[in-house]
Amino acid sequence: MEAEVIKAELVLTTHMSFKRIQMYEKYPKGQSKVRWKQLKQILQAENCQNYSPDEPNYVNIESPPSMQPCKRICDITGFEAPYHDPRTNLRYANADVFKLVRSLPNEYVQRYLALRKAAVVLR
Amino acid sequence: KDGLAICPGFTTTHVIPFVDGEPVYKGCCRTNIGGYHITDYLKQLLSLKYPHHMARFTWEKVEDLKMEHCYIAADYALEAQLFQKGGKEAEDKTRCWQLPWVPLPTEEPPSEEEIARKAAIRERQGQRLREMAEAKRSSRINELENQLHGLEFLLQQLGQVQEEDIPSFLSETGYASRQEIELTLTKVTQSLRKAKGEPKPEQAENEEKADSCTSDKYPLINVPDNMLTPDQLKEKKRQIFLKTTTEGRQRAKQKRVEEELEQERKTQQDEERRLENPQLYLEQMHTKYKELYEKIELRKRLKTNGGHTNGSNSGGVGRGERLNAAQRERMRLLTTAAFDRGKGEDTFGAKDEDWQLYKLMGKDNDDDDDGADEDEAELARVSSRLQDIDPTFVPKLEPTASQPTITEVPHVRPLTKEDFQIVLGVERFRCPEILFHPNLAGIDQVGLDEMTGVSIRRLPSKDKALENRLTSSVFMTGGCSLFPGINERLEAGIRMLRPCGSPIKVARALDPVLDAWRGASLYAANSRFHQQTFSRADYYEKGEDWLRRYQVQYTL
């Protein structure tokens, strides 16, 4: 491994002194065949319905929706946006931004909405 | 001993209160917003704002940008207003990233040798062409002269031959009569003269001669009708027709010449006006351009009745055509014509006048189109004029092809350095804001400051003093706590939730990124660690779902 690559901290070192069995011994072919479990899988495996609702567990302690009024900022510029375009469902700050909003092609409109998770998802 | 641990991490943010060194699990709170979401938000925003440079915004690069430039504003609304006003402070806070850009190599004005060389080449080519033309001309002249000589000789011979022998003599040569020979002779002399390149007045003379010839050729026109035979009448009609057509042609030519003169005069006047007062002239041109453009736009819009709107009404064009004023008129005409007749019988078309209806309808449409063409021609002329005299003028693109500046760089002018600059202004503090307001990213949960409130609410024991103790030692750790300004913001946020005057103190870890790892390593290095593990034998015996609760204690 070249010195620059090690210094750049882009790749893991091949030999780690604290391990008893090194990575290259476990997976000789090169690519590590480890498949880490996704969070969803772990949560499903845990089967939280069986636990009593009193005891805190991972799913239990999730935070509730916000009590404060929703902050409305313009989707494009980021300023305070009191206005809302009924056709495209975007929020905009003033007339210039509105012109921009109206002239956007549909793809961009959907992407802006996707930032807010307000895009129309066709399944 | 008591406090709140707040950890905004990579994918989640946790708030864990601990009392007497032990974490109170019931009071924990987790929001699914972290550094990952902030980077993603920034990446999407930049890609949407600069679609041309989308390839530049890799995940790693954007994360670097975030770590270097993003900060948390003490008050989002104030900062946003500051940027909206666009004053000097906003300028100071805006960072600009210049992408590597190579200016197009401008064509150097050709040096003198280049010019001379090109001129010489052109000269040689011209010379060659001229020689070829000369050769052709001289050969043609020779031919014509030969023909001329031949014809003259023939005429001479004809003069010598007797009257009776003329037909037989002529049949040999192939000409029908003496007049024909003379005609061909004159024609050949004319073309010879033209080929020799005699000046124009000669041609005008020829034309005049041609005119007088024609008046001679139409001798029958002036003769009154009753004196002519039917054959001669037919001949007369033909001659009248020929004369009127030639006269018409001449008149058209004259009109054209006059129009050209008129145009010349107008352009000269224009030039004078421009030189007198360039600024005023420019403004006038601009207003004219705008008016014409708007007129055309309006007409186009009426035609399709707003069919250009964002593609969202798919049936819009069809509906537009039906509702158009001209179309409505047509329908009205047709229906009235159909119902005008008596009941039961449809006699539309029996009379000739009925078909005039279609002419009316057709005319309505045509007028529209003609007017539009004129306007468009005028517009084109004005815009080309403007382009010539005004360096900053950019002709407006066609409405069907018009795109906002964020999706298309106008190709009329060459790309400049500014096109390759990525400006981070509002995005700098807009992106980390989602830590405090996950609604901005669409996630319906509480933000960082409210989470402390939620966590304290969830504590099993409601003790004012305890709460005060908790808030007076708030510990920030985790990668996202490295944003500048987060401490103050959090403090302000907690103050909003707590009763007035409660002690609040926020402290940050020395190395937030590796803090959790260090804590765990200390925990594992502790001598008592072995008591808190269970062995393999236990695992085999009791199965994998068996848990043992340990007391995780935090000691100073």
Side-chain angles (χ1 to χ4, degrees), chain B residues 218-451:
Chain B
Y218 308 145
L220 296 175
I221 291 184
N222 299 326
V223 177
D225 272 345
N226 44 18
M227 298 196 12
L228 296 171
T229 63
D231 270 342
Q232 282 181 322
L233 272 170
K234 249 193 275 178
E235 188 64 31
K236 177 176 176 182
K237 267 201 202 137
R238 196 175 65 88
Q239 284 175 3
I240 292 175
F241 174 71
L242 282 172
K243 182 165 178 209
T244 44
T245 43
T246 44
E247 276 180 12
R249 239 181 289 139
Q250 279 171 352
R251 254 179 303 176
K253 212 195 297 185
Q254 249 188 326
K255 223 197 313 182
R256 238 182 302 138
V257 167
E258 272 174 31
E259 266 181 22
E260 274 172 24
L261 284 174
E262 182 73 29
Q263 196 71 0
E264 271 292 317
R265 206 167 44 82
K266 257 205 272 186
T267 45
Q268 264 187 345
Q269 260 188 357
D270 236 15
E271 267 305 305
E272 279 171 24
R273 251 197 305 152
R274 180 167 89 83
L275 292 169
E276 272 177 3
N277 190 355
Q279 194 58 31
L280 186 63
Y281 183 73
L282 198 65
E283 279 172 17
Q284 281 177 349
M285 288 305 260
H286 270 290
T287 44
K288 221 196 297 183
Y289 180 80
K290 229 188 282 185
E291 280 172 27
L292 278 170
Y293 187 74
E294 272 167 22
K295 225 201 297 185
I296 291 186
E297 282 273 309
L298 191 69
R299 195 179 285 121
K300 277 207 192 124
R301 232 179 295 143
L302 283 177
K303 260 201 182 144
T304 59
N305 197 20
H308 288 300
T309 58
N310 220 3
S312 39
N313 32 342
S314 48
V317 179
R319 258 185 279 132
E321 278 185 9
R322 258 186 277 143
L323 298 175
N324 192 359
Q327 300 289 342
R328 259 185 275 146
E329 183 66 24
R330 288 176 83 178
M331 291 307 293
R332 194 185 62 82
L333 282 170
L334 277 173
T335 45
T336 49
F339 286 121
D340 253 355
R341 319 277 164 244
K343 303 218 173 82
E345 234 188 288
D346 181 15
T347 56
F348 180 80
K351 296 184 260 181
D352 266 338
E353 295 87 49
D354 296 338
W355 300 107
Q356 308 293 344
L357 197 68
Y358 283 100
K359 237 203 260 174
L360 269 175
M361 294 197 292
K363 224 187 274 181
D364 282 336
N365 248 356
D366 280 339
D367 270 343
D368 226 346
D369 289 339
D370 279 341
D373 287 337
E374 261 179 34
D375 275 337
E376 278 178 7
E378 181 75 28
L379 185 70
R381 235 181 321 132
V382 171
S383 72
S384 66
R385 192 96 185 82
L386 271 173
Q387 253 181 326
D388 284 335
I389 59 181
D390 186 4
T392 64
F393 173 71
V394 172
K396 292 195 215 176
L397 300 168
E398 283 285 308
T400 47
S402 74
Q403 303 263 332
T405 43
I406 74 166
T407 53
E408 180 172 309
V409 177
H411 290 297
V412 188
R413 53 175 174 82
L415 293 176
T416 63
K417 189 164 156 210
E418 276 75 35
D419 289 328
F420 280 78
Q421 284 175 350
I422 313 268
V423 179
L424 296 171
V426 183
E427 295 85 15
R428 279 184 72 197
F429 59 92
R430 181 179 170 185
C431 297
E433 190 64 25
I434 65 175
L435 277 179
F436 289 90
H437 285 99
N439 293 315
L440 298 180
I443 297 182
D444 199 11
Q445 288 184 314
V446 281
L448 206 56
D449 38 10
E450 278 178 77
M451 254 201 284

Side-chain angles (χ1 to χ4, degrees), chain A residues 65-123:
Chain A
S66 170
M67 288 295 148
Q68 286 184 357
C70 179
K71 202 187 200 88
R72 291 187 174 82
I73 61 168
C74 169
D75 283 315
I76 299 178
T77 54
F79 303 138
E80 174 79 34
Y83 314 113
H84 169 257
D85 178 15
R87 196 184 293 176
T88 51
N89 215 15
L90 289 172
R91 296 197 186 123
Y92 60 95
N94 54 37
D96 295 323
V97 184
F98 181 62
K99 264 189 234 160
L100 227 115
V101 162
R102 273 295 160 90
S103 55
L104 280 178
N106 198 28
E107 192 210 340
Y108 287 96
V109 169
Q110 292 304 314
R111 280 170 70 180
Y112 271 117
L113 291 175
L115 283 183
R116 258 198 298 140
K117 298 230 181 7
V120 177
V121 176
L122 302 166
R123 252 181 232 282

